[in-house]
């Protein structure tokens, strides 16, 4: 029985759409990449339009449109929260209500109306998955396992904030749920907010700040003690209880009761006027440690309840690659797989897969020669050389064409070895928040100045995080303490001891950026201060072009590893089209741009009015 299913995630954060045909993931794309609005949460019109066009499908060909959560359950949760906390909650309730009434409660009608734009609507069969079931389905069904323990953790869905389940064949059994307001995701977001980052998008920055915390200081230990004593009760069974006296997200419009937090930690909430002092770094480390403990408890509980040797993860907290690395190194499970689009954007794939396997009892087939069913997360639009050349001709720029991949890759590797920063635009766009070698900016990981140059001249930020390495899958153990692939940049793992340089005395007393630029290993641009790295292993099978560049770089230098950062500047989504890529190339100090078979040298762009490509940069 053939089934064509369209999955939709929208109206909260990071909208996306996905097409699943008979269980195979054909397309998956974030709306922000088309609209150029970062974290765009509107109905994914452009994504749906792209999917239908690309697959030559009409809306009437679709057997099911599946939304990633149940709006009515979410609405009920909001109502109950209001009653529980009334009258204190009236302000947030009354502010939230008009939005809910307009967008969420009448969502069925809204979605149908949006879909009508693509054709006749009578045949639309609209289904609703549940938020955590969508996450669970996105974690289990594309994984390489026939059976696995499932753990999903995020801020909140309808009611659940995390779920433990068991996946086998085409079924998912829900074993445990933790419910709102007790949420690991919201606890972490509360610290994200207190430390001056944006909730829902700045969490990875908090994670990046944590290694600058002094692990042995009395202050760090004290912060950790205060968190456990006053904010969260951690239970052995993997559940938690938050002390709601300190949190404001149920009743107010803020995450936390700021005055109470400031008093508790003896620290002002971080604002733009305040520098990142050691206190914030120690606090980041404390909450990271607490989060790791909770996540480990949940993983242990999942192991106990399922007895499985395999674990799959999804939900926003599964993007905490440091915690993932800890579960992996604990050896609790023999194998682990994490959905690359673990945030809510992954809900479109998950909802569609849940409908196919659970709703339609689809048979689960898996090709054992493939690492998983995500196709390396290369599930978005691609542009042929013919399309790329149209863009280049439009700007009338000089370019060089390479007909053989070997030649293109070996020249690119030579340029990298010479210290150039290169935009690399190839094949299908990535699904999920990370660029994995198709919309990436590349550099030489051995160069101590690479991190600073990329931050200041490309990303226009003084980031305190080093960049991530892309390493040949075959060479992963030569550089990092890991013996399994990490294709989606979702494990933070230490650099091997033989590559490390020692930390000088009095290190934690130095300024943040002085510490950042201390050379910690022979691949300093990708080694964090605690010797860890957020690694991506590159396989010949899923990305031959990218693998060949790194391999050519290895032939030249002996290093099968390079720097990979997403192809965008701060505040912008990752580039989608050749025009986006060219424009980003022109607005930054990238030295070369490789698109398809074409290579562009910035030196040849003299005379082109760079002001044409200027836009306002965002704030994060
Ligand atoms: Fe979620």
């Amino acid at each position: 029985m053939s089934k064509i299913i369209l999955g939709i995630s929208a109206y909260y954060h990071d909208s996306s759409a996905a097409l699943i045909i008979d269980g195979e993931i054909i397309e998956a794309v974030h709306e922000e990449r088309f609209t150029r609005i970062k974290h765009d949460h509107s109905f994914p019109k452009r994504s749906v339009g792209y999917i239908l066009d690309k697959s030559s499908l009409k809306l009437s060909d679709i057997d099911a449109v599946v939304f990633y959560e149940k709006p009515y359950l979410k609405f009920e949760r909001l109502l109950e929260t209001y009653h529980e906390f009334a009258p204190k909650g009236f302000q947030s309730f009354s502010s939230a209500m008009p939005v809910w009434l307009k967008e969420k409660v009448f969502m069925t009608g809204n979605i149908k109306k949006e879909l009508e734009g693509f054709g006749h609507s009578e045949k639309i069969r609209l289904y609703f998955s549940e938020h955590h079931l969508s996450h669970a389905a996105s974690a289990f069904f594309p994984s390489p396992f026939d059976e696995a323990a499932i753990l999903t953790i995020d801020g909140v869905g309808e009611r659940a904030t995390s779920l433990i389940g068991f996946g086998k064949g085409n079924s998912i059994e829900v074993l445990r749920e933790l419910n709102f307001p007790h949420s690991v995701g919201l606890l972490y977001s509360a610290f994200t907010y207190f430390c001056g980052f944006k909730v829902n998008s700045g969490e990875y920055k908090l994670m990046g700040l944590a290694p600058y915390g002094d692990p042995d200081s009395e202050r760090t230990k004290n912060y950790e003690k205060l968190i456990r004593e006053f904010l969260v009760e951690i239970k052995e069974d993997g559940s938690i209880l938050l002390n709601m006296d300190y949190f404001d997200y149920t009743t107010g419009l803020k995450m936390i009761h700021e005055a109470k937090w400031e008093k508790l930690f003896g620290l002002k909430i971080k604002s733009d006027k305040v520098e990142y002092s050691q206190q914030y770094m120690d606090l980041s480390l404390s909450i990271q440690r607490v989060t790791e403990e909770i996540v480990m408890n949940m993983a242990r509980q999942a192991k106990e309840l399922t007895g499985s040797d395999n674990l799959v993860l999804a939900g926003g907290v599964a993007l905490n690659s440091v915690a993932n690395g800890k579960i992996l190194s604990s050896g609790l499970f023999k194998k682990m797989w994490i959905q690359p689009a673990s945030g809510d954007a992954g809900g479109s794939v998950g909802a569609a897969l849940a409908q196919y396997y659970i709703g339609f009892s689809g048979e689960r087939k898996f090709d054992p020669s493939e690492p998983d069913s995500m196709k390396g997360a290369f599930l978005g639009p691609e542009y042929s050389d013919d399309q790329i050349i149209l863009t280049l001709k439009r700007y009338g720029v000089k370019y060089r064409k390479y007909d053989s991949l070997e030649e293109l890759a070996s020249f690119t590797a030579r340029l990298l070895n010479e210290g150039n920063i290169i935009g690399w635009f190839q094949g299908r766009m990535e699904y999920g928040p990370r660029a994995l070698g198709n919309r990436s900016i590349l550099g030489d990981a051995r160069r101590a100045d690479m991190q600073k140059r990329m931050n200041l001249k490309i990303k226009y930020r003084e980031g305190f995080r080093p960049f991530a390495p892309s390493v040949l899958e075959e060479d992963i153990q030569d550089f990092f303490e890991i013996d399994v692939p990490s294709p989606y940049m979702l494990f933070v793992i230490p650099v091997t001891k033989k590559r490390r340089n020692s930390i000088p005395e009095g290190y934690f007393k130095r300024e943040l950026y002085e510490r950042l630029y201390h050379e910690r290993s022979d691949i300093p641009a990708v080694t964090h201060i605690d010797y860890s790295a957020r690694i991506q292993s590159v396989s010949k099978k899923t990305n031959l072009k990218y693998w060949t560049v790194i391999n050519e770089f290895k032939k030249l230098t002996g290093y099968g590893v390079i720097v990979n950062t997403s192809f965008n500047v701060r505040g912008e989504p990752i580039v989608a089209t050749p025009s986006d890529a060219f424009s980003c190339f022109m607005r930054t100090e990238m030295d070369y741009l490789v698109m398809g078979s074409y290579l562009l040298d910035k030196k040849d762009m003299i005379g082109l009015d760079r002001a044409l490509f200027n836009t306002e940069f965002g704030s994060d």
Side-chain angles (χ1 to χ4, degrees), residues 131-132 135 154-156 315-316 342-344:
H131 191 105
H132 274 266
H135 280 316
D154 68 3
V156 61
S342 263
D344 284 352

Side-chain angles (χ1 to χ4, degrees), residues 105-306:
V105 178
F106 300 117
M107 209 177 284
T108 310
N110 277 0
I111 296 169
K112 284 199 166 173
K113 215 158 116 200
E114 294 283 5
L115 290 169
E116 272 173 29
F118 298 98
H120 190 55
S121 71
E122 253 173 47
K123 282 192 72 180
I124 295 174
R125 278 139 295 192
L126 186 58
Y127 298 82
F128 293 88
S129 175
E130 275 188 37
H131 191 105
H132 274 266
L133 179 64
S134 298
H135 280 316
S138 79
F140 175 61
F141 292 127
S143 79
F145 311 133
D146 184 48
E147 56 90 13
I150 304 170
L151 180 56
T152 68
I153 318 170
D154 68 3
V156 61
E158 294 90 355
R159 252 168 233 278
T161 61
S162 86
L163 169 154
I164 294 173
F166 181 60
K168 189 171 170 57
N170 66 355
S171 72
I172 287 177
E173 189 187 350
V174 177
L175 302 170
R176 284 277 164 86
E177 273 184 355
L178 180 65
N179 281 329
F180 186 84
H182 307 292
S183 161
V184 191
L186 292 175
L187 172 67
Y188 204 79
S189 291
F191 278 88
T192 302
Y193 175 79
F194 189 78
C195 290
F197 305 114
K198 259 192 208 163
V199 168
N200 269 336
S201 61
E203 281 74 7
Y204 71 99
K205 293 182 185 170
L206 186 72
M207 185 180 81
L209 192 62
Y212 295 97
D214 185 344
D216 303 316
S217 79
E218 279 312 309
R219 185 168 49 219
T220 304
K221 286 176 197 156
N222 185 43
Y223 281 159
E224 224 182 297
K225 200 169 137 246
L226 291 173
I227 296 171
R228 290 166 196 278
E229 218 167 286
F230 291 92
L231 299 183
V232 56
E233 187 185 332
I234 303 172
K235 303 197 171 188
E236 279 294 305
D237 69 356
S239 65
I240 57 166
L241 274 178
L242 295 185
N243 177 359
M244 296 315 292
D245 286 348
Y246 282 85
F247 297 87
D248 203 19
Y249 54 78
T250 49
T251 56
L253 291 171
K254 287 191 165 175
M255 281 305 294
I256 57 172
H257 289 295
E258 293 174 10
K260 286 184 184 171
W261 278 55
E262 287 182 342
K263 196 170 164 217
L264 181 66
F265 295 113
L267 183 63
K268 284 264 171 234
I269 185 165
K270 168 79 177 70
S271 69
D272 288 345
K273 291 176 204 114
V274 184
E275 278 292 297
Y276 273 109
S277 62
Q278 190 60 42
Q279 278 106 308
Y280 295 103
M281 301 174 209
D282 291 347
L283 191 62
S284 306
L285 177 60
S286 312
I287 185 59
Q288 178 63 30
R289 280 175 168 176
V290 168
T291 304
E292 285 165 18
E293 184 186 329
I294 300 169
V295 173
M296 266 314 290
N297 283 354
M298 287 180 166
R300 234 175 261 122
Q301 184 71 5
K303 173 85 188 172
E304 231 165 77
L305 290 171
T306 63

Side-chain angles (χ1 to χ4, degrees), residues 283-572:
L283 191 62
S284 306
L285 177 60
S286 312
I287 185 59
Q288 178 63 30
R289 280 175 168 176
V290 168
T291 304
E292 285 165 18
E293 184 186 329
I294 300 169
V295 173
M296 266 314 290
N297 283 354
M298 287 180 166
R300 234 175 261 122
Q301 184 71 5
K303 173 85 188 172
E304 231 165 77
L305 290 171
T306 63
S308 179
D309 284 335
N310 308 316
L311 174 69
V312 294
L313 288 177
V317 178
L319 294 172
N320 192 312
S321 39
V322 179
N324 298 343
K326 296 274 160 71
I327 304 178
L328 183 71
S329 347
S330 76
L332 186 61
F333 290 89
K334 281 192 186 141
K335 289 183 176 167
M336 242 177 111
W337 189 86
I338 306 165
Q339 164 57 240
S342 263
D344 284 352
S348 59
V349 159
L353 288 174
Q355 184 61 36
Y356 179 70
Y357 290 111
I358 301 167
F360 294 144
S361 309
E363 191 196 340
R364 189 157 174 248
K365 290 174 239 135
F366 181 70
D367 179 353
S369 69
E370 293 294 331
D372 59 48
S373 316
M374 286 299 292
K375 302 179 179 170
F378 303 115
L379 293 162
E382 68 181 324
Y383 299 86
S384 64
D385 274 357
D386 287 350
Q387 288 168 297
I388 292 168
I389 198 76
L390 283 180
T391 303
L392 301 183
K393 288 201 167 143
R394 196 167 71 236
Y395 292 110
V397 293
K398 229 169 124 183
Y399 55 83
R400 211 182 307 170
K401 189 173 186 216
Y402 289 82
D403 286 317
S404 106
L405 169 61
E406 274 62 40
E407 268 181 60
L408 177 69
S410 91
F411 191 64
T412 305
R414 219 175 80 197
L415 294 173
L416 287 171
N417 186 32
E418 287 164 6
N420 293 294
I421 298 174
I422 302 176
W424 180 255
F425 180 100
Q426 301 288 347
R428 300 188 70 178
M429 185 171 65
E430 294 87 345
Y431 177 58
R434 306 274 167 255
L436 299 168
N438 278 4
R439 301 287 187 278
S440 292
I441 300 172
L442 315 179
D444 183 350
R446 301 166 308 160
R447 288 178 182 260
D449 66 337
M450 189 49 70
Q451 188 178 347
K452 195 169 194 168
R453 282 176 52 210
M454 280 184 142
N455 266 329
L456 299 182
K457 302 200 162 183
I458 308 290
K459 294 284 191 172
Y460 297 110
R461 66 182 187 198
E462 178 67 295
F464 46 77
R465 295 173 310 143
F467 289 98
S470 288
V471 60
L472 296 177
E473 192 175 277
E474 301 80 344
D475 290 358
I476 196 166
Q477 290 189 68
D478 184 19
F479 292 95
F480 309 103
E481 291 179 350
I482 185 173
D483 53 6
V484 291
S486 171
Y488 301 120
M489 226 182 244
L490 282 168
F491 290 116
V492 166
I493 293 290
V495 169
T496 48
K497 290 203 174 71
K498 65 177 181 186
R499 299 197 172 273
R500 300 180 190 176
N501 300 329
S502 59
I503 291 180
E505 235 176 86
Y507 182 80
F508 284 101
K509 298 209 164 39
R510 294 186 185 181
E511 290 298 313
L512 172 65
Y513 290 107
E514 205 185 319
R515 277 185 264 166
L516 171 67
Y517 298 123
H518 167 69
E519 288 181 45
R520 296 145 301 237
S521 74
D522 65 345
I523 42 171
V526 294
T527 310
H528 217 318
I529 177 52
D530 57 357
Y531 296 116
S532 67
R534 185 163 49 85
I535 53 176
Q536 180 206 358
S537 56
V538 179
S539 112
K540 202 173 180 174
K541 199 169 167 56
T542 44
N543 200 338
L544 177 66
K545 279 191 178 175
Y546 193 38
W547 183 91
T548 308
V549 171
I550 307 173
N551 196 45
E552 289 296 323
F553 186 76
K554 184 185 171 186
K555 283 187 201 163
L556 270 182
T557 64
Y559 282 71
V561 62
I562 60 172
V563 179
N564 169 13
T565 186
S566 54
F567 201 146
N568 63 330
V569 290
R570 74 172 183 178
E572 272 192 353

